[in-house]
Structure formats: C-alpha cells, structure tokens
Amino acid sequence: EKCTKSQHHHHKDDHICVKLSEQISKAVWKKFKQYCKEEERKVILAGFVLKKSKTSGEDDKLEVIALGTGTKAVAGDKLSLKGEVVHDCHAEIVARRSLLRWLYKQISIAGEPGSYAIRSDGKTPFKLRPI
C-alpha cells in the first residue's frame, strides 16, 4: 500500500495509510501492555509488525514481532568497545536489535513449522515466506 503521499488526508491512499498506521500503533501498544502493566507512565515505544494478507471485509492482520522502549544513549566516558555496554538505548534502536534477533531465530528454524523463513533458490539463502 502506498504511504508516500503527504498526510493531508484528502486522498484515498492517505486514508489507507492513516488507517494502517493506527492499526500498527494499536497492535504495538497492545503487545507492550502484555509485558508491562504500568499504564500511567509515559513510554517511548517502537515496534515492527508483519502485515498478513487479509480476507475480504477484514482489517489487516498484524503480528508484532519486535518491540523496544527507551530514550537514552550512553555518555562518551561510559562507552565500551568490548561489547560490555549497549551504547544506544533509544526505542527504535532497541526494537531494531529485537527485530534482528527475531530474524536470526527465523533463519535458524527455517522450513520448520511456525517459521516465517524458507530457503531460497535465488541470490540469497533465505527469504520470508508469503503470509
């Protein structure tokens, strides 16, 4: 779906983009609340979702596959080149790290029931199966 137009909400595609972004936001917050029951605290949250094919008349089916929260980066005097410290703990960075773990897990179980990864005959050894 196209989400490259300006967000003036005057075009049909803009409405689709807004609806999808709202669905993504709700799905990510719902998943976060499964892990963290605090509702009054302000949270910076980022997430990645898989958009599954929908059937006629249904909303998009979204599966949250990675989450991250955070707003901090480590000060220069605390940096470590030995892998002892996570240098950037902003929500989107933590969510990306979580996504990479999810992808590596999928590759490690490629082809098994429940895996989203399948072996590819193309230029890359793996790809995500259509969902």
Side-chain angles (χ1 to χ4, degrees):
E1 295 177 54
K2 298 177 184 176
C3 286
T4 57
K5 293 182 180 181
S6 67
Q7 294 296 319
H8 294 294
H9 314 299
H10 297 301
H11 298 90
K12 181 181 176 187
D13 288 344
D14 288 340
H15 176 71
I16 291 169
C17 292
V18 170
K19 183 177 179 185
L20 179 59
S21 65
E22 289 171 355
Q23 290 171 346
I24 291 169
S25 177
K26 286 177 185 178
V28 169
W29 276 108
K30 182 178 178 181
K31 179 60 80 173
F32 174 74
K33 288 181 180 183
Q34 289 177 359
Y35 295 105
C36 184
K37 304 298 182 194
E38 294 181 42
E39 295 182 26
E40 299 299 320
R41 190 176 81 169
K42 184 177 179 180
V43 175
I44 305 299
L45 179 63
F48 288 90
V49 300
L50 284 178
K51 181 178 173 248
K52 298 181 178 185
S53 298
K54 63 181 177 179
T55 59
S56 175
E58 287 187 333
D59 283 342
D60 296 312
K61 297 207 184 265
L62 304 173
E63 180 180 347
V64 179
I65 58 172
L67 288 174
T69 65
T71 60
K72 302 282 187 211
V74 174
D77 61 336
K78 305 284 188 210
L79 292 176
S80 169
L81 299 177
K82 299 177 184 176
E84 300 165 335
V85 176
V86 177
H87 296 189
D88 190 340
C89 293
H90 288 90
E92 60 275 17
I93 302 302
V94 175
R96 179 186 175 276
R97 291 171 64 98
S98 178
L99 174 65
L100 290 174
R101 287 181 57 113
W102 183 87
L103 288 169
Y104 290 136
K105 175 66 175 179
Q106 296 307 308
I107 289 170
S108 75
I109 61 171
E112 294 180 16
S115 172
Y116 287 100
I118 56 176
R119 298 208 181 273
S120 173
D121 294 331
K123 295 180 180 180
T124 60
F126 300 98
K127 63 182 180 179
L128 291 178
R129 68 173 166 80
I131 51 173

